[in-house]
Amino acid sequence: METLRRAIEDYLYELDANLDLSMVAAHALTRGIDSPALAELAGLSRDTLYEIRELVPTVVEELSIDVGSLPEAVFRKAGEAARDYLAGDLGFRPAVRRVTELMFNRDYLDFDDRPDVGIDQFDDLWLLNEWIFAVDIGYERDGVYYFETSTDAEMYFKTVASALATQRT
Protein backbone atom coordinates (compact mmCIF):
# COMPACT_ATOMS: atom_id res chain seq x y z
CA MET A 1 0.00 0.00 0.00
CA GLU A 2 2.91 2.32 0.74
CA THR A 3 4.24 2.04 -2.82
CA LEU A 4 0.81 2.89 -4.19
CA ARG A 5 0.43 5.83 -1.79
CA ARG A 6 3.79 7.25 -2.80
CA ALA A 7 3.03 6.81 -6.50
CA ILE A 8 -0.28 8.63 -6.06
CA GLU A 9 1.49 11.49 -4.25
CA ASP A 10 4.09 11.63 -7.03
CA TYR A 11 1.28 11.73 -9.58
CA LEU A 12 -0.83 14.36 -7.79
CA TYR A 13 2.12 16.66 -7.14
CA GLU A 14 3.84 15.93 -10.48
CA LEU A 15 7.06 14.76 -8.81
CA ASP A 16 7.97 12.00 -11.29
CA ALA A 17 7.67 12.62 -15.02
CA ASN A 18 8.41 8.95 -15.75
CA LEU A 19 5.70 7.56 -13.48
CA ASP A 20 3.39 4.96 -15.01
CA LEU A 21 0.54 5.01 -12.49
CA SER A 22 -1.37 2.32 -14.38
CA MET A 23 1.57 -0.06 -13.98
CA VAL A 24 1.84 0.78 -10.27
CA ALA A 25 -1.89 0.01 -9.96
CA ALA A 26 -1.38 -3.31 -11.74
CA HIS A 27 1.44 -4.22 -9.35
CA ALA A 28 -0.76 -3.26 -6.40
CA LEU A 29 -3.44 -5.65 -7.66
CA THR A 30 -0.91 -8.49 -7.86
CA ARG A 31 0.06 -7.78 -4.24
CA GLY A 32 -3.55 -8.24 -3.13
CA ILE A 33 -4.65 -4.60 -2.91
CA ASP A 34 -8.02 -4.44 -4.63
CA SER A 35 -10.77 -2.02 -5.46
CA PRO A 36 -12.92 -1.50 -8.57
CA ALA A 37 -11.27 1.84 -9.41
CA LEU A 38 -7.78 0.40 -8.89
CA ALA A 39 -8.58 -2.45 -11.29
CA GLU A 40 -9.89 0.04 -13.84
CA LEU A 41 -6.78 2.21 -13.41
CA ALA A 42 -4.55 -0.83 -13.90
CA GLY A 43 -6.22 -1.50 -17.24
CA LEU A 44 -5.56 1.94 -18.66
CA SER A 45 -2.72 2.98 -20.91
CA ARG A 46 -0.41 5.63 -19.45
CA ASP A 47 -1.52 7.86 -22.34
CA THR A 48 -5.14 8.03 -21.16
CA LEU A 49 -4.45 11.09 -19.04
CA TYR A 50 -8.04 12.24 -18.63
CA GLU A 51 -9.27 8.83 -17.44
CA ILE A 52 -6.36 8.47 -15.02
CA ARG A 53 -6.98 11.94 -13.58
CA GLU A 54 -10.66 11.07 -13.11
CA LEU A 55 -9.93 7.72 -11.40
CA VAL A 56 -7.25 8.74 -8.90
CA PRO A 57 -9.63 10.40 -6.38
CA THR A 58 -11.86 7.32 -6.48
CA VAL A 59 -8.89 5.00 -5.87
CA VAL A 60 -7.84 7.17 -2.92
CA GLU A 61 -11.36 7.07 -1.50
CA GLU A 62 -12.01 3.35 -2.06
CA LEU A 63 -8.72 2.33 -0.47
CA SER A 64 -8.74 5.05 2.22
CA ILE A 65 -5.27 6.18 1.18
CA ASP A 66 -3.87 8.93 3.39
CA VAL A 67 -2.22 11.23 0.85
CA GLY A 68 0.55 13.33 2.38
CA SER A 69 0.92 17.05 1.86
CA LEU A 70 3.05 18.53 -0.92
CA PRO A 71 5.89 19.48 1.47
CA GLU A 72 5.99 15.96 2.90
CA ALA A 73 5.99 14.39 -0.58
CA VAL A 74 8.73 16.74 -1.87
CA PHE A 75 10.91 16.11 1.16
CA ARG A 76 10.39 12.35 0.81
CA LYS A 77 11.31 12.48 -2.88
CA ALA A 78 14.41 14.59 -2.16
CA GLY A 79 15.35 12.08 0.55
CA GLU A 80 15.10 9.26 -1.99
CA ALA A 81 17.55 11.08 -4.29
CA ALA A 82 19.87 11.74 -1.32
CA ARG A 83 19.84 8.08 -0.29
CA ASP A 84 20.55 7.04 -3.88
CA TYR A 85 23.51 9.44 -3.94
CA LEU A 86 24.87 8.24 -0.60
CA ALA A 87 24.53 4.62 -1.74
CA GLY A 88 26.46 5.40 -4.94
CA ASP A 89 23.46 4.77 -7.20
CA LEU A 90 23.17 8.40 -8.32
CA GLY A 91 26.03 10.71 -9.24
CA PHE A 92 26.81 13.94 -7.42
CA ARG A 93 25.59 16.43 -10.03
CA PRO A 94 22.40 14.55 -10.97
CA ALA A 95 21.59 14.23 -7.26
CA VAL A 96 22.16 17.95 -6.69
CA ARG A 97 19.97 18.79 -9.66
CA ARG A 98 17.18 16.53 -8.43
CA VAL A 99 17.27 17.75 -4.84
CA THR A 100 17.44 21.44 -5.74
CA GLU A 101 14.79 21.04 -8.44
CA LEU A 102 12.45 19.61 -5.83
CA MET A 103 13.27 21.90 -2.93
CA PHE A 104 13.30 25.11 -4.94
CA ASN A 105 10.00 24.45 -6.64
CA ARG A 106 7.75 27.46 -6.18
CA ASP A 107 4.81 25.33 -4.98
CA TYR A 108 7.03 23.84 -2.26
CA LEU A 109 8.55 27.16 -1.24
CA ASP A 110 5.08 28.70 -0.87
CA PHE A 111 4.59 26.63 2.29
CA ASP A 112 5.82 28.21 5.52
CA ASP A 113 5.75 24.90 7.37
CA ARG A 114 8.23 22.87 5.33
CA PRO A 115 10.26 19.94 6.70
CA ASP A 116 13.56 21.66 5.82
CA VAL A 117 12.85 24.85 7.79
CA GLY A 118 15.02 25.11 10.88
CA ILE A 119 17.52 22.40 9.88
CA ASP A 120 20.97 24.01 9.72
CA GLN A 121 22.27 21.79 6.91
CA PHE A 122 19.80 23.43 4.51
CA ASP A 123 20.82 27.03 5.28
CA ASP A 124 23.15 27.29 2.26
CA LEU A 125 21.22 25.10 -0.12
CA TRP A 126 20.49 28.16 -2.24
CA LEU A 127 24.25 28.50 -2.84
CA LEU A 128 24.35 24.93 -4.12
CA ASN A 129 21.38 25.70 -6.35
CA GLU A 130 23.21 28.72 -7.78
CA TRP A 131 26.40 26.69 -8.17
CA ILE A 132 24.72 23.88 -10.14
CA PHE A 133 23.00 26.47 -12.32
CA ALA A 134 26.39 28.08 -13.04
CA VAL A 135 27.88 24.66 -13.83
CA ASP A 136 25.01 23.85 -16.17
CA ILE A 137 25.51 27.01 -18.20
CA GLY A 138 29.29 26.69 -18.27
CA TYR A 139 30.41 29.17 -15.61
CA GLU A 140 31.74 26.76 -13.02
CA ARG A 141 35.09 28.50 -12.60
CA ASP A 142 34.02 32.13 -13.05
CA GLY A 143 33.77 33.01 -9.39
CA VAL A 144 34.11 31.72 -5.89
CA TYR A 145 30.89 33.10 -4.49
CA TYR A 146 29.26 29.69 -4.91
CA PHE A 147 31.92 27.10 -4.10
CA GLU A 148 35.60 27.32 -4.98
CA THR A 149 35.73 23.79 -6.33
CA SER A 150 33.43 20.96 -7.23
CA THR A 151 34.92 19.11 -4.27
CA ASP A 152 33.77 21.89 -1.92
CA ALA A 153 30.27 21.73 -3.40
CA GLU A 154 30.17 17.96 -2.99
CA MET A 155 31.37 18.15 0.61
CA TYR A 156 28.50 20.52 1.39
CA PHE A 157 26.02 18.36 -0.52
CA LYS A 158 27.03 15.33 1.53
CA THR A 159 25.82 17.15 4.66
CA VAL A 160 22.55 18.00 2.90
CA ALA A 161 22.15 14.44 1.63
CA SER A 162 22.86 13.02 5.08
CA ALA A 163 20.23 15.30 6.62
CA LEU A 164 17.69 14.36 3.95
CA ALA A 165 18.44 10.67 4.24
CA THR A 166 17.83 10.61 7.99
CA GLN A 167 14.63 12.68 8.01
CA ARG A 168 11.35 10.79 7.83
CA THR A 169 8.07 12.31 6.78
Side-chain angles (χ1 to χ4, degrees):
M1 184 70 86
E2 185 65 18
T3 301
L4 179 61
R5 181 182 71 84
R6 288 177 175 205
I8 287 174
E9 289 174 356
D10 290 351
Y11 172 79
L12 291 173
Y13 301 131
E14 300 176 358
L15 299 178
D16 186 349
N18 298 316
L19 177 67
D20 185 346
L21 193 56
S22 296
M23 186 60 70
V24 173
H27 287 159
L29 286 171
T30 64
R31 290 189 311 272
I33 301 169
D34 195 14
S35 84
L38 184 66
E40 188 176 345
L41 179 60
L44 294 175
S45 162
R46 75 181 298 170
D47 299 328
T48 55
L49 303 177
Y50 177 79
E51 290 86 352
I52 291 171
R53 185 175 58 242
E54 291 295 312
L55 275 174
V56 168
T58 307
V59 169
V60 169
E61 183 180 329
E62 285 179 359
L63 295 173
S64 301
I65 296 173
D66 184 25
V67 177
S69 68
L70 173 71
E72 292 168 345
V74 165
F75 208 68
R76 172 190 48 82
K77 201 72 173 173
E80 290 170 7
R83 283 186 287 284
D84 287 347
Y85 164 73
L86 293 171
D89 297 331
L90 186 61
F92 163 57
R93 290 182 182 181
V96 169
R97 285 183 192 96
R98 184 67 180 137
V99 167
T100 58
E101 171 188 303
L102 287 162
M103 296 185 70
F104 284 97
N105 178 288
R106 181 179 316 187
D107 292 336
Y108 178 72
L109 291 175
D110 282 345
F111 283 85
D112 292 330
D113 189 23
R114 299 184 318 266
D116 64 293
V117 173
I119 300 174
D120 294 341
Q121 289 88 339
F122 298 105
D123 288 349
D124 292 327
L125 190 60
W126 67 275
L127 287 173
L128 191 61
N129 186 52
E130 295 297 316
W131 177 83
I132 199 68
F133 176 76
V135 167
D136 286 346
I137 61 173
Y139 294 110
E140 180 177 2
R141 304 209 189 282
D142 280 2
V144 295
Y145 55 96
Y146 304 135
F147 294 94
E148 289 189 41
T149 66
S150 182
T151 302
D152 293 339
E154 188 165 10
M155 285 177 36
Y156 171 68
F157 183 66
K158 281 182 183 177
T159 66
V160 169
S162 294
L164 279 167
T166 59
Q167 298 296 316
R168 299 285 177 216
T169 58

